[in-house]
């Protein structure tokens, strides 16, 4: 898909799938609390959406820095990604286990917050550059302009 579509499109499409998956989680799980299969469609869409946006977002970040800094940027990017995955899994697991069984509204509130964050990410994705970013060999000026554009988008 990375060869057929611009990175911006893949990132935005991934956010759309995540938001739709969260909406399915809200709708299906709320309607059938007793069935674990109610989670499957929503979690599938969330997983596909995250997978679709992961590689383009890493490419976008890493291509904004010169080649001599790629090692540091790669390490920092992976560390932040792993930290977010760990916290996200822990928080989501806690919400699912504690709140769905007790029947209170914390699950719904948490999913609404996640959906809002997904919509925020989708909005930010429209400010990303459409074309692939220049390589570090192209000179310092395009890299500086790309870093400035990313700073404005974030």
């Amino acid at each position: 898909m990375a060869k057929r579509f611009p990175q911006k499109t893949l990132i935005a499409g991934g956010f759309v799938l995540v938001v739709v998956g969260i909406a399915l989680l809200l709708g299906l799980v709320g309607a059938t609390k007793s069935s674990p299969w109610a989670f499957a469609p929503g979690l599938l869409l969330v997983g596909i959406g995250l997978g679709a946006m992961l590689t383009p977002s890493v490419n976008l970040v890493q291509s904004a820095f010169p080649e001599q800094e790629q090692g540091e940027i790669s390490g920092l990017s992976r560390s932040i990604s792993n930290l977010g995955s760990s916290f996200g899994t822990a928080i989501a697991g806690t919400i699912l286990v504690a709140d769905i069984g007790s029947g209170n509204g914390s699950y719904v509130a948490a999913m609404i917050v996640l959906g809002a964050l997904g919509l925020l990410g989708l909005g930010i994705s429209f400010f990303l550059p459409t074309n692939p970013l220049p390589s570090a060999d192209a000179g310092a000026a395009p890299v500086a302009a790309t870093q400035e554009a990313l700073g404005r988008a974030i």
Side-chain angles (χ1 to χ4, degrees):
M1 288 188 346
K3 290 182 180 181
R4 295 178 60 191
F5 300 102
Q7 292 178 8
K8 177 181 179 175
T9 302
L10 292 174
I11 293 170
F15 273 114
V16 168
L17 287 175
V18 167
V19 170
V20 170
I22 290 170
L24 277 175
L25 283 171
L26 274 170
L28 294 177
V29 174
T32 59
K33 290 183 181 182
S34 60
S35 174
W37 287 104
F39 289 98
L43 290 176
L44 178 68
L45 284 179
V46 169
I48 291 171
L50 289 173
M53 76 170 96
L54 181 64
T55 299
S57 64
V58 170
N59 288 342
L60 194 68
V61 169
Q62 287 189 291
S63 65
F65 293 90
E67 189 173 328
Q68 60 269 28
E69 294 180 6
Q70 288 301 309
E72 291 89 355
I73 295 305
S74 177
L76 180 62
S77 174
R78 293 306 311 149
S79 295
I80 298 297
S81 176
N82 288 336
L83 181 66
S85 295
S86 298
F87 275 121
T89 302
I91 293 168
T94 301
I95 291 168
L96 292 177
V97 171
D99 292 328
I100 288 179
S102 65
N104 63 29
S106 296
Y107 169 77
V108 173
M111 296 311 283
I112 289 172
V113 169
L114 289 176
L117 290 172
L119 289 173
L120 177 67
L122 177 61
I124 290 172
S125 72
F126 291 116
F127 294 101
L128 297 174
T130 303
N131 298 325
L133 299 173
S135 67
D137 298 334
V143 172
T146 301
Q147 289 172 337
E148 181 181 334
L150 285 174
R152 284 192 310 259
I154 295 174

